[in-house]
Amino acid sequence: MIATAIPLLLLAFHADGFVVSKSSATRPGTTTSALGLSAVVEEATSSTTNGSASAGDRDILVRAARGEQVERTPVWLMRQAGRYMADFRKYSDKYKFRERSETPTMATALSLQCHRAYGMDGIIMFSDILTPLPVLGIDFDVVKGTGPVISTEIRTEEDVAALEDYASFDDKLPFIREILGTLSKEAEEANTSLIGFVGAPFTLASYTIEGKSSKHCLTTKKMMMEDETGDSKAMRGGLG
């Protein structure tokens, strides 16, 4: 069930300009050391603040992620809205994670903080890889100091059968479309890319089965090994 539902979510995200990328690339013969990164950040920031960004800068990060040769090394930090920003901590110290990521005004502000401050080659949407789970009736929270905690137990075929049918994306996650719409306009005006992320089916399934983050996913692997014939709905729906 998880595997059949998630691709639909991904298509909906793409339809709104949601670019999913985990890769990075550099020009042939270049490396990105700490000193080199500082130089590139300075160059990118200067280019953006001076208003001299070229037309190709808008999608340079996306093209690099696709493995295409680009005219310079694009800059994208994994933790763009990270803990080092005082403005970011003003939110995290006061509001819970899901309240921040699911409230359009807050999620938009957090998404734009680092780009506005440093002129990075992309706006990264403030979100979480588990965001699609409520569409299936799977509840989760992100606990400070612990990470994701899934309260809906999925261990058997009966548990899968008890999940809600695939609900309307807009009914369950209406904030996504609003956030993406606002950020798309911001990205257009800033001549840059909008980047988002979401867990792949196996990632979402393993988090759900384990109930939390797990380095070894032993419960998930045990379920996979016990399903020798491939008949388990829990495995075919969640991991297949």
Side-chain angles (χ1 to χ4, degrees):
M1 182 178 293
I2 294 175
T4 55
I6 297 308
L8 296 178
L9 289 177
L10 292 174
L11 287 173
F13 279 25
H14 278 295
D16 285 277
F18 202 85
V19 181
V20 180
S21 172
K22 294 176 63 179
S23 305
S24 61
T26 57
R27 288 170 294 176
T30 63
T31 58
T32 306
S33 62
L35 291 176
L37 180 59
S38 298
V40 175
V41 171
E42 183 177 352
E43 175 189 347
T45 305
S46 174
S47 170
T48 303
T49 43
N50 292 336
S52 57
S54 67
D57 282 350
R58 174 173 174 78
D59 64 347
I60 188 171
L61 185 58
V62 177
R63 289 187 285 119
R66 290 172 178 162
E68 299 177 18
Q69 185 170 338
V70 292
E71 53 275 19
R72 63 176 176 82
T73 303
V75 179
W76 171 35
L77 301 183
M78 287 289 289
R79 299 255 179 190
Q80 277 196 18
R83 302 177 182 90
Y84 55 85
M85 294 187 72
D87 288 340
F88 180 86
R89 292 196 298 273
K90 289 178 182 177
Y91 287 87
S92 58
D93 291 342
K94 185 176 182 180
Y95 303 102
K96 291 183 178 180
F97 183 88
R98 285 192 65 181
E99 184 176 1
R100 284 177 279 148
S101 66
E102 297 180 9
T103 303
T105 53
M106 282 196 276
T108 299
L110 289 168
S111 300
L112 294 172
Q113 277 184 351
C114 197
H115 183 270
R116 286 176 172 173
Y118 304 116
M120 299 297 183
D121 286 310
I123 296 170
I124 300 178
M125 179 180 173
F126 182 77
S127 187
D128 187 78
I129 61 173
L130 303 183
T131 296
L133 289 181
V135 175
L136 299 172
I138 299 172
D139 194 25
F140 77 96
D141 196 7
V142 180
V143 181
K144 192 172 184 178
T146 301
V149 176
I150 292 83
S151 56
T152 305
E153 185 174 289
I154 303 294
R155 295 286 190 281
T156 66
E157 295 190 39
E158 289 73 23
D159 293 334
V160 173
L163 289 174
E164 297 178 11
D165 291 334
Y166 178 69
S168 166
F169 180 82
D170 285 316
D171 287 346
K172 283 287 187 178
L173 308 174
F175 54 89
I176 291 291
R177 192 174 295 279
E178 183 175 346
I179 296 169
L180 285 175
T182 302
L183 291 179
S184 292
K185 293 177 182 178
E186 292 281 351
E188 181 72 31
E189 292 176 3
N191 193 42
T192 193
S193 298
L194 171 59
I195 300 173
F197 53 91
V198 67
F202 183 88
T203 300
L204 296 176
S206 60
Y207 263 100
T208 302
I209 292 169
E210 301 295 333
K212 58 183 179 180
S213 176
S214 173
K215 290 184 178 180
H216 303 294
C217 299
L218 295 180
T219 303
T220 306
K221 292 176 182 176
K222 180 180 178 182
M223 291 177 67
M224 293 172 66
M225 295 298 290
E226 290 177 344
D227 183 31
E228 295 181 1
T229 62
D231 293 329
S232 170
K233 290 182 179 179
M235 288 295 94
R236 286 190 290 109
L239 305 175

